[in-house]
């Protein structure tokens, strides 16, 4: 069984309210395929089923996963035990429960534009940007020197304006996929060197 199949099988019956791997998750997995993870400190923020964090741990990273939902963390601990992987799981509202800095930060946020937050796994408020903007505001405090984030945005979130609003960060497209009503992109984001 491949790494990913083994993980999907270990998380196959998450509790109600835990986000099941979807198109956006698999695009994040594609983006991770070219990243060297051995011995890296990785944060998987908004971990949901835990698939991204578990995959990184399977590939030799030291992984912390974080989510605002306690049920997510309970599920994740069960899946990690099934796979014999060691993962730190913390409850956190974006970075509120996370003190350290990381080599790699992953975030597949709830990004769907919505008037209110009915489903916190997918609803992203105004332009779908409620959590994306908070995430990028605090990200510089949680990246090690040379570290980077991989995070998912949709064309519905106006990615150009995300880039324009964060001049301290540099962005490139790691991978993308066109779906029926949107284009998904995984952005690779680093701290811009403003010293020169
Ligand atoms: C779209 S799901 C992504 C799940 C998983 N990472 C994946 O790629 O399949 C978004 C996740 O963010 C979590 N979340 C929502 N609001 C959050 C917040 N304020 N802080 C941390 N996590 C949050 C949700 O509980 C959910 O698990």
């Amino acid at each position: 069984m491949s790494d990913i199949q083994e993980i999907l099988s270990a998380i196959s019956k998450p509790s109600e309210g835990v986000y099941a791997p979807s198109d956006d998750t698999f695009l994040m997995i594609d983006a991770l395929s070219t990243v060297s993870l051995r011995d890296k400190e990785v944060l998987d923020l908004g971990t949901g089923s835990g698939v991204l964090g578990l995959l990184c741990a399977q590939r030799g990273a030291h992984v912390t996963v974080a989510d605002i939902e306690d049920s997510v963390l309970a599920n994740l601990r069960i899946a990690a035990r099934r796979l014999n992987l060691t993962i730190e799981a913390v409850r956190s509202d974006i970075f509120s429960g996370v003190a350290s800095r990381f080599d790699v930060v992953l975030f597949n946020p709830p990004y769907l534009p919505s008037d209110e937050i009915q489903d916190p796994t997918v609803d992203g408020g105004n332009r779908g940007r409620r959590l994306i903007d908070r995430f990028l505001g605090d990200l510089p405090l949680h990246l090690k020197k040379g570290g980077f984030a991989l995070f998912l945005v949709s064309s519905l979130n106006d990615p150009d304006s995300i880039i324009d609003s964060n001049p301290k960060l540099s962005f490139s497209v790691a991978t993308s996929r066109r779906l029926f009503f949107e284009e998904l992109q995984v952005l690779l984001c680093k701290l811009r060197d403003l010293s020169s």
Side-chain angles (χ1 to χ4, degrees):
M1 218 191 283
S2 72
D3 282 1
I4 190 65
Q5 280 167 338
E6 198 183 352
I7 289 167
L8 291 173
S9 151
I11 60 172
S12 61
K13 292 191 182 76
S15 319
E16 201 180 320
V18 177
Y19 187 80
S22 188
D23 288 328
D24 44 7
T25 317
F26 289 107
L27 199 61
M28 290 289 287
I29 290 171
D30 280 356
L32 271 173
S33 64
T34 57
V35 174
S36 156
L37 290 165
R38 182 146 302 279
D39 293 329
K40 295 280 166 45
E41 297 283 342
V42 173
L43 172 66
D44 174 19
L45 187 55
T47 191
S49 68
V51 60
L52 303 178
L54 291 164
L55 187 61
C56 293
Q58 189 84 286
R59 295 189 182 163
H62 306 290
V63 178
T64 302
V65 301
D67 204 287
I68 199 159
E69 295 293 334
D70 286 321
S71 57
V72 158
L73 302 175
N75 262 299
L76 182 281
R77 290 190 185 102
I78 293 167
R81 228 173 291 135
R82 276 188 198 137
L83 292 162
N84 207 16
L85 294 171
T86 304
I87 287 192
E88 188 179 353
V90 294
R91 186 181 179 281
S92 185
D93 177 6
I94 303 289
F95 290 108
S96 69
V98 178
S100 352
R101 291 181 182 259
F102 297 87
D103 298 299
V104 182
V105 176
L106 308 172
F107 190 34
N108 176 14
Y111 67 78
L112 289 181
S114 60
D115 292 334
E116 44 189 291
I117 309 299
Q118 285 181 342
D119 179 351
T121 68
V122 295
D123 291 340
N126 184 26
R127 289 191 295 170
R129 292 270 290 273
R130 189 178 71 100
L131 292 182
I132 293 172
D133 291 341
R134 280 180 59 204
F135 167 72
L136 290 174
D138 288 345
L139 178 65
L141 300 173
H142 295 280
L143 282 182
K144 286 189 184 178
K145 196 166 189 294
F148 62 89
L150 286 170
F151 73 102
L152 189 125
V153 293
S154 157
S155 47
L156 305 173
N157 306 134
D158 191 357
D160 287 345
S161 106
I162 293 177
I163 293 169
D164 291 346
S165 315
N166 289 281
K168 290 184 184 161
L169 299 169
S170 70
F171 297 86
S172 58
V173 179
T175 184
S176 63
R177 180 161 177 212
R178 179 154 286 289
L179 300 178
F180 179 56
F181 63 95
E182 63 182 336
E183 181 179 3
L184 300 181
Q185 296 180 333
V186 177
L187 297 183
L188 188 150
C189 172
K190 296 180 178 173
L191 277 180
R192 202 179 274 286
D193 182 1
L194 298 170
S195 58
S196 49

